Amino acid sequence: MERPGPTKPEVPAALADIKSGEARFRRIIENNADGMLVVSGDGVILYANEAAERLLNRRRSELLGHAFGIPTLAGETTEIDLPWCEGAPRTAEMRVVETEWEGRHVRLASLRDISDRKRLEDELRQKIAELALADQRKDQFLAMLAHELRNPLAPILNAVHVMRLRGDDPELRESMRDIVEEQVRCLARLVDDLLDVSRITQGKIQLRREPILLRTLVKRSIDAARSLLQAKGHRLEVTLPDEPVKLWVDPIRLEQVVVNLLNNAAKYTDPGGRVELEAELEGDHVEIRIRDNGIGIAPEMVEQVFGLFTQVDHSLARTQGGLGIGLTLARNLVHLHEGTLTTQSKGLGRGSQFTLRIPSARVIDEGAGAPTRTPSVGHGRPKRILLVDDNTAAAESLRLIVKLWGHECRVVHGGLEAVEAVGIFRPEVVLLDIGLPGMDGYTVAKAVRANPHVQALTIIAMTGYGRDEDRARAYAAGFDHHLVKPLDLEVLERILAQLDHQATPGSGTGEARAVNDHQAARADALDRESCG
């Protein structure tokens, strides 16, 4: 008896299953969110879903029967630039598998748009590179800052040793004192430049505009930069308009800009070079051009020189000095004057030119000129002064100065001591440091003002905090004046002398305080000379 064999499916039923499977496969491809292409072995597109149409920016009729143009290798995942796409370049991630399609061996390519991801990755890489560069510049800046701070300290220490050894020689002693004073101003200038950049970036610089003649401004700037120009043996050539040209600017700030540009030209020009300053009136603007025949600027650095902490010379043997913030500060100050500051150079070794362009002021009277500093008014009558500072060296040196002015001065080093000393010593003036340990200067001032037994007392802040908000906080605490360290002794002397003419000492919270603080700010800026 013959055993029956396995039952074979009917052919029509098998074909139906195949067609049903292909239909499901087609529906899956059609509804897929990724672009799906069926590509023949010779690279011709046999099928494209709607997502592929959108991704490739082509109708299906424009795709079918045409070459894809991109190699499709099974088993690989690649990134491709999408063809035919308009606008910004777009990128897709392509995965390829081999399969059967309508009885043919084909490749199925899935395309996923990763343009946004690539853009974010590129932006992230750029940010990382920028942060790395910023970190590198920060390290370079800190190294330069240490170098620039040590430069003035060396001659100060040397001058002290010389005075200790030869203090009996009046001429030598005077010369050493001049060195110390000059180098202290250099240190103050370094700090001021750093603070100025911070204030400008936060929008806290306010210009004090005054009428000034262009010729006066240029003369003052040249006088301030003359020592460095002479030290380098440069020849300075100046060309100015014959007619009076008038400006309505902040003279101190604009002088700061021109001095910076002159010093910059002097630093980056070999000894015995040529520096030219040319100014002229062009329509409603004044243009000041400062040229040199120095080391020049590489093309890729022409615009970067205005970047914060940027140095043209990056070598360890850099001898030019500076923190790389001068040109940043200069351009921002010019922008505050509604002007522009640009630079040109033909390349390394071919010199450079900086062009400062600001509006003129034709409406100013012909006689308008630069304001002059208020002359000294002397020491005034002797006063009882309480000096409060936790820095014993600073306190003792200032006590000696105040005593030499003819005043009686007592020193304490803490906040609680100060409050007690006011009640015992009954001073007329308190020179009060703000950064005291424990009980700070603000608290001391409030405590003193709250004492009903203390009257007719003038409180003067001595502090390293010089922002507008620091001044406002000091006045709110009861200070009459706010002086920034290192103190401008001429301003302090003037304040003490003017107390003789006030109806009630300690009433410096009004116009007198405003005048003295404006004088203090102007004197502080006028004393900013380049360290070279």
Side-chain angles (χ1 to χ4, degrees):
M1 183 174 180
E2 191 174 305
R3 293 183 179 181
T7 303
K8 295 182 180 180
E10 295 290 334
V11 173
L15 291 175
D17 289 342
I18 292 173
K19 288 183 178 180
S20 175
E22 289 179 348
R24 287 196 301 272
F25 185 40
R26 186 183 291 268
R27 284 196 300 272
I28 291 172
I29 294 175
E30 184 62 36
N31 296 323
N32 202 299
D34 292 338
M36 305 296 290
L37 296 175
V38 177
V39 184
S40 67
D42 55 0
V44 175
I45 300 174
L46 303 177
Y47 177 82
N49 67 354
E50 289 185 7
E53 288 184 282
R54 292 191 298 270
L55 194 60
L56 299 174
N57 197 30
R58 287 290 187 274
R59 291 190 298 272
R60 204 171 310 197
S61 60
E62 297 176 283
L63 295 173
L64 300 184
H66 292 80
F68 184 32
I70 298 174
T72 52
L73 302 176
E76 292 190 0
T77 300
T78 57
E79 291 182 3
I80 63 170
D81 294 328
L82 293 173
W84 309 310
C85 293
E86 299 176 355
R90 300 176 68 187
T91 304
E93 185 177 73
M94 183 172 72
R95 292 184 173 90
V96 180
V97 296
E98 293 184 347
T99 187
E100 296 292 327
W101 179 266
E102 297 179 346
R104 302 173 60 179
H105 188 73
V106 296
R107 293 185 178 93
L108 178 64
S110 65
L111 304 175
R112 176 169 295 178
D113 191 343
I114 60 170
S115 303
D116 290 340
R117 191 186 80 189
K118 291 289 292 181
R119 177 178 55 80
L120 291 174
E121 289 175 351
D122 290 343
E123 290 179 358
L124 180 59
R125 279 191 292 269
Q126 182 179 354
K127 290 295 183 184
I128 292 173
E130 290 174 355
L131 288 173
L133 179 59
D135 188 62
Q136 180 185 1
R137 287 183 173 177
K138 179 260 297 180
D139 290 341
Q140 292 174 344
F141 164 73
L142 291 175
M144 287 187 293
L145 178 60
H147 174 267
E148 294 301 313
L149 289 175
R150 289 189 181 101
N151 273 346
L153 292 177
I156 289 174
L157 187 59
N158 292 341
V160 170
H161 284 308
V162 170
M163 286 189 286
R164 180 177 292 127
L165 295 172
R166 296 285 304 278
D168 56 340
D169 186 332
E171 185 176 346
L172 185 60
R173 189 169 61 244
E174 182 69 22
S175 174
M176 293 301 102
R177 282 201 299 262
D178 289 343
I179 289 175
V180 171
E181 183 175 6
E182 178 184 354
Q183 297 306 315
V184 168
R185 293 188 191 281
C186 289
L187 287 169
R189 173 63 184 275
L190 289 173
V191 175
D192 287 336
D193 279 353
L194 287 169
L195 293 177
D196 278 346
V197 169
S198 175
R199 291 174 188 138
I200 286 177
T201 55
Q202 297 178 55
K204 295 182 179 180
I205 286 280
Q206 293 185 345
L207 300 181
R208 296 184 174 96
R209 294 182 183 265
E210 300 176 9
I212 186 172
L213 292 173
L214 171 64
R215 185 175 296 273
T216 304
L217 177 73
V218 170
K219 180 181 181 303
R220 282 169 40 173
S221 302
I222 292 174
D223 288 343
R226 192 180 304 279
S227 59
L228 181 57
L229 290 164
Q230 290 179 343
K232 296 293 290 286
H234 296 322
R235 183 174 75 257
L236 177 63
E237 300 176 3
V238 181
T239 304
L240 299 176
D242 294 331
E243 71 277 12
V245 176
K246 291 143 288 189
L247 305 171
W248 179 252
V249 296
D250 185 326
I252 302 302
R253 292 301 187 181
L254 200 58
E255 178 188 336
Q256 189 178 351
V257 172
V258 178
V259 170
N260 180 288
L261 296 178
L262 286 171
N263 285 339
N264 191 72
K267 289 177 183 179
Y268 293 103
T269 300
D270 291 336
R274 184 182 72 257
V275 177
E276 302 174 18
L277 188 155
E278 181 181 39
E280 62 180 334
L281 182 63
E282 292 190 349
D284 292 331
H285 284 74
V286 172
E287 213 172 77
I288 302 175
R289 295 179 289 274
I290 296 177
R291 288 187 293 269
D292 63 68
N293 62 344
I295 67 173
I297 306 172
E300 67 275 11
M301 291 293 296
V302 167
E303 187 59 27
Q304 293 185 38
V305 295
F306 293 105
L308 192 60
F309 307 143
T310 299
Q311 289 281 351
V312 174
D313 182 2
H314 296 286
S315 65
L316 286 175
R318 185 179 62 86
T319 59
Q320 314 304 337
L323 297 177
I325 61 179
L327 291 178
T328 304
L329 179 59
R331 172 173 270 191
N332 280 285
L333 289 174
V334 171
H335 284 175
L336 290 177
H337 284 87
E338 297 87 40
T340 59
L341 178 60
T342 57
T343 184
Q344 301 86 35
S345 176
K346 295 181 179 179
L348 293 176
R350 305 183 67 182
S352 58
Q353 172 178 305
F354 286 84
T355 302
L356 163 62
R357 183 177 173 86
I358 56 171
S360 64
R362 293 178 177 273
V363 297
I364 301 176
D365 295 335
E366 288 290 331
T372 57
R373 295 183 68 177
T374 305
S376 174
V377 292
H379 307 308
R381 65 172 178 79
K383 300 174 183 66
R384 291 189 311 280
I385 297 176
L386 177 65
L387 173 57
V388 187
D389 197 329
D390 61 320
N391 186 317
T392 55
E396 179 60 20
S397 58
L398 184 56
R399 184 192 71 80
L400 291 173
I401 292 172
V402 171
K403 183 178 179 181
L404 290 171
W405 286 349
H407 304 296
E408 181 182 357
C409 184
R410 183 171 296 182
V411 176
V412 296
H413 301 294
L416 288 174
E417 294 177 85
V419 175
E420 294 174 358
V422 167
I424 298 171
F425 182 50
R426 299 287 180 176
E428 299 168 73
V429 178
V430 178
L431 299 176
L432 179 56
D433 182 27
I434 288 180
L436 297 171
M439 190 177 189
D440 64 28
Y442 299 121
T443 307
V444 172
K446 290 177 181 178
V448 171
R449 292 299 187 203
N451 187 343
H453 302 293
V454 176
Q455 298 178 350
L457 176 64
T458 297
I459 306 179
I460 302 173
M462 307 183 301
T463 177
Y465 300 100
R467 301 171 302 172
D468 291 340
E469 52 264 44
D470 298 321
R471 293 179 183 275
R473 184 180 178 188
Y475 297 147
F479 285 91
D480 295 285
H481 302 279
H482 183 279
L483 301 183
V484 178
K485 295 180 178 180
L487 301 188
D488 186 307
L489 296 178
E490 290 183 15
V491 173
L492 176 59
E493 185 181 13
R494 187 177 302 117
I495 292 173
L496 295 176
Q498 288 177 347
L499 294 180
D500 298 341
H501 309 294
Q502 292 182 8
T504 303
S507 62
T509 55
E511 181 179 355
R513 183 184 71 191
V515 169
N516 280 314
D517 285 339
H518 178 64
Q519 292 171 341
R522 286 189 53 78
D524 178 61
L526 281 168
D527 288 337
R528 294 177 181 180
E529 298 176 356
S530 170
C531 300

